[in-house]
Amino acid sequence: MATTNLERRKIGALEVSLIGLGCNNFGWRIDAEESARVVETALDCGINLFDTADMYDKGRSEEYLGRARRLFGRRPGARRSREWSEFRTVGTPRCRPL
């Protein structure tokens, strides 16, 4: 694991890395295996803020991020920022459970 002095900021009670990882390419441009490598590298570099949305590749981005977190274990302080959109297919729930 790399040693890092990555700057942190408070968002309310949460302390997150100043740099976050946008996960919109998970599923669209990179597969689950490559997504896991990206997440592992980000965690090793001290990034603990991961931004995803249910509309990124129809939820695949969130699925791949969840798989990667299970693969590498939950690390203390890792946080997920989640967006959602009103643009849905009929019958699709607005928000999915974590």
Side-chain angles (χ1 to χ4, degrees), residues 12-94:
L14 301 176
E15 187 174 294
V16 297
S17 53
L18 183 60
I19 299 170
L21 176 67
C23 301
N24 62 324
N25 287 318
F26 294 4
W28 277 340
R29 292 185 177 89
I30 59 176
D31 63 17
E33 187 176 308
E34 185 65 21
S35 298
R37 284 195 292 269
V38 170
V39 170
E40 179 182 33
T41 300
L43 289 167
D44 286 348
C45 289
I47 294 173
N48 72 343
L49 179 63
F50 298 87
D51 176 63
T52 188
D54 61 341
M55 67 182 287
Y56 296 163
D57 199 28
K58 300 176 185 167
R60 192 163 289 138
S61 171
E62 292 184 322
E63 178 187 334
Y64 287 2
L65 178 58
R67 283 187 199 173
R69 289 192 63 206
R70 283 188 297 277
L71 184 64
F72 302 115
R74 294 190 182 265
R75 298 205 187 170
R79 303 289 180 217
R80 179 185 70 160
S81 162
R82 186 169 192 264
E83 305 163 26
W84 61 272
S85 171
E86 289 289 333
F87 302 101
R88 300 262 179 266
T89 311
V90 175
T92 304
R94 291 181 72 179

